[in-house]
Amino acid sequence: MLNLERMRVLHAVFTSGSVRGAAAALHVTTSAVSQQIARLEREVGQLLVERHGRGIRLTDAGVVLADHAGRLLAQVERIEADLADRRGAVVGNLTVAAFATVARALLPDVLRSLRAEHQRLAVRLTELEPTEAVPLLCRGDVDVAVVQDWAESPVELPDGLSRLHLLDDLLDVALPAEHPFARRETLHLADLADEEWVTWSSGQICSDWIEQVLREHGVAPKLMHTASEHSTQLALVAAGIGIAISPRLGRGPVPDGVRIVPTKPPLRRRVFASWRSTTERRPAIRAVITALVRCSTTAVDDRAEPRSGDESSRST
């Protein structure tokens, strides 16, 4: 009889592409992975992996068995979810991945409410970009992922994942207070064709998106400075060395010397939660999604209209 845990190990090698990756995903040593694969080969009487360069790859038999293993593990997850649903208790350990803005703006309230309402549920937060979170969600290393996309650049989720829209987040232009456009009520992106930009670090999903949007508006952006943190971007804008796009969700105090101006048409990104469809009947998963929806609604209701640093300082 095939051993399910060894099938899990083979599937981890298949999805991660290496023994080292499987060991990291399963939180075991590479030696343990190799031993489990060797035992599985003896059980089935066929070679499942073979040397390839400095690493390994699955044989044809290994690929077939790994494919079956994926379906078996998904079915096991459904069974566990059904049993948990019948029990009705919100218990266990979950990992939630979220990109930086949501991790700062939503997850503290989500985690606080879950701890107050479900003392037997332990939720761990890890801050990840969507491009990192989604593969981990598919592999089972993450239970719920909060990710973002845009109408201009939608994210296609792999089969087997469910999603729920949480909110739309508007983004504004951040300008130095002395900029000629700083007193405008709204700005068209085409007005900013000659500006120097402060943007996200290369390779981040936001960086690719803003460059695409600017080009669609006829702007060949001069991407002069990069920073992952919005607070760093605004500090550079306050220094007068560029302009930036600033999301409203999770926006902290705007520095003195920075003016925030909405765009016309508005720029918006979509924020949604995703989880493996096989787990959606787990009460713990439903509890996390419910908390995300509740806190997202509050965040949208509480978001103020864009305010500039100088205005904020005068109002205190």
Side-chain angles (χ1 to χ4, degrees), residues 12-13 33 45 95 105 114 132 138 208 233 260 285 291 307:
V13 173
V33 170
T95 298
L114 288 170
E132 301 170 298
C138 293
D208 296 339
Q233 294 180 11
I260 302 296
I285 295 291
R307 295 172 62 190

Side-chain angles (χ1 to χ4, degrees), residues 34-166:
S34 298
Q35 290 174 19
Q36 291 286 64
I37 295 296
R39 289 172 184 165
L40 188 57
E41 287 180 328
R42 289 196 294 270
E43 287 178 354
V44 301
Q46 298 185 61
L47 288 177
L48 301 176
V49 297
E50 60 187 4
R51 290 286 178 186
H52 180 65
R54 294 186 176 180
I56 65 165
R57 65 182 176 189
L58 269 61
T59 63
D60 290 345
V63 171
V64 169
L65 191 56
D67 184 56
H68 282 295
R71 290 197 292 272
L72 279 173
L73 293 169
Q75 184 61 27
V76 168
E77 198 164 51
R78 290 189 189 94
I79 293 169
E80 292 172 341
D82 285 347
L83 291 173
D85 184 44
R86 289 180 63 84
R87 188 170 63 244
V90 180
V91 298
N93 302 292
L94 291 181
T95 298
V96 176
F99 61 96
T101 303
V102 164
R104 179 174 64 252
L106 292 185
L107 266 298
D109 287 340
V110 169
L111 296 178
R112 180 170 55 242
S113 67
L114 288 170
R115 176 172 291 185
E117 296 169 14
H118 308 290
Q119 289 80 13
R120 296 171 62 194
L121 176 65
V123 182
R124 172 178 173 267
L125 168 65
T126 180
E127 183 181 306
L128 292 172
E129 284 284 296
T131 51
E132 301 170 298
V134 171
L136 292 178
L137 179 63
C138 293
R139 279 168 37 185
D141 296 335
V142 164
D143 299 291
V144 176
V146 184
V147 300
Q148 61 184 329
D149 74 356
W150 297 266
E152 304 89 351
S153 183
V155 168
E156 296 294 334
L157 291 179
D159 292 340
L161 298 185
S162 298
R163 66 189 289 173
L164 177 68
H165 178 263
L166 295 175

